[in-house]
Amino acid sequence: MNARTEPAPAGSDATARPPHVIARPPLVRELLLVAGLFLVYKFGRQLATGHTGEAFHNAHRVWDFERAVHLPGEGAVQSLLLHGDGLAHVANTYYAAVHFPATVAFLVWLYLRRPAHYVWARRVLAAVTAAALALHLLFPLAPPRMLAATGLVDTARVYGPSVYGDPATDSLSNQFAAMPSLHFGWALMVAIGLIVATRSRWRRLWLLHPLLTLLVIVGTANHYWLDAIVATALLGLALAVVHAPHRTATTAGRAQGRLVPAQARSEEQALAGAGR
């Protein structure tokens, strides 16, 4: 007896891609979305400018709180950078040049190779950035390099390069938005995203990126320890709300060219039926 199968409707998902394969979101839509989020963030940071007195008052409060709870002094990290001009220059360059390119490269790689994880990571980054913007508006904070009580050196101004101008005339960035540190929050999300989306036995080494970022932002006196702690808490909340996709052979990157077991069985049954 011959087994007959009905052809799948033209343009259906059954013919477009096998099960467990996630389609990439439309590229133009994603570019517009990411660009829109960036513009909203930049505009929102400008809304927080003009709160100099409050920002310095909060800076003293943060500094005193860190000392009260016995957090290690930021100066201990900076002293390592000040042993030579070259090391301070490298740290400043890392602060200025790695933050955005690393995050963009992370999203591009996920979009091309792990589309299911891309959607998840983009949502988490958007949530963290939105929460950070709200906190910047509610709690303006001068960075430690501006606070004389810290005794820290503005390494970017002394050794270069610097991404900031004079706070009084800088119209491109809000320098009183130290808490939380998106440098650290984004770096930690990049590491977590790569650990979740891949299966290499060495994947946990990606955590070196946020660790190095933490040492840089503290050692260059751009952030307090507490800025990184708050960023970690916000990221944790975002990860709790935006769940990562289930790990499969496709989403985790293993056996990209092979059929997953359920898919292989279904195709074997179809071939067997067609041959009767």
Side-chain angles (χ1 to χ4, degrees):
M1 186 172 67
N2 292 329
R4 301 180 61 187
T5 57
E6 295 293 331
S12 69
D13 288 343
T15 59
R17 61 181 181 272
H20 305 289
V21 176
I22 307 300
R24 296 187 186 94
L27 178 59
V28 174
R29 187 192 72 181
E30 291 304 308
L31 290 175
L32 292 175
L33 179 60
V34 173
L37 289 173
F38 176 74
L39 291 175
V40 168
Y41 172 68
K42 292 295 288 185
F43 176 73
R45 286 178 67 117
Q46 297 307 312
L47 295 178
T49 59
H51 300 280
T52 303
E54 185 179 359
F56 277 98
H57 175 68
N58 289 334
H60 282 285
R61 293 168 60 190
V62 167
W63 183 255
D64 292 340
F65 175 79
E66 287 189 346
R67 308 291 75 79
V69 298
H70 304 293
L71 286 177
E74 287 81 352
V77 179
Q78 185 172 90
S79 64
L80 299 176
L81 301 182
L82 299 182
H83 283 302
D85 297 358
L87 192 56
H89 183 82
V90 169
N92 294 329
T93 303
Y94 189 94
Y95 180 87
V98 174
H99 175 49
F100 277 107
T103 307
V104 170
F106 165 68
L107 289 174
V108 169
W109 184 84
L110 287 182
Y111 180 85
L112 295 175
R113 302 296 300 274
R114 308 287 189 273
H117 287 90
Y118 164 78
V119 174
W120 161 70
R122 187 249 292 152
R123 289 173 179 170
V124 172
L125 285 171
V128 170
T129 304
L133 172 58
L135 192 53
H136 293 163
L137 295 172
L138 295 173
F139 193 79
L141 179 66
R145 58 187 166 82
M146 294 184 182
L147 192 64
T150 66
L152 298 175
V153 176
D154 185 348
T155 60
R157 181 178 59 82
V158 176
Y159 302 102
S162 176
V163 296
Y164 301 117
D166 187 336
T169 59
D170 186 0
S171 60
L172 297 178
S173 60
N174 174 23
Q175 298 189 45
F176 300 120
M179 180 182 293
S181 169
L182 282 177
H183 268 73
F184 181 74
W186 286 11
L188 184 57
M189 180 55 203
V190 167
I192 292 174
L194 290 172
I195 290 172
V196 171
T198 60
R199 286 194 173 186
S200 168
R201 69 178 63 184
W202 305 104
R203 65 187 184 276
R204 287 180 177 81
L205 290 178
W206 287 112
L207 291 171
L208 292 175
H209 173 47
L211 176 60
L212 181 57
T213 299
L214 176 62
L215 296 178
V216 165
I217 63 175
V218 171
T220 57
N222 281 293
H223 287 283
Y224 307 89
W225 293 114
L226 201 59
D227 299 338
I229 294 172
V230 173
T232 303
L234 292 179
L235 179 59
L237 289 175
L239 290 170
V241 173
V242 185
H243 298 290
H246 295 295
R247 293 176 71 90
T248 66
T250 300
T251 58
R254 177 175 287 181
Q256 282 267 340
R258 300 199 299 263
L259 299 176
V260 295
Q263 180 185 346
R265 285 196 299 271
S266 65
E267 294 201 4
E268 286 173 1
Q269 292 169 358
L271 289 173
R276 290 196 185 109

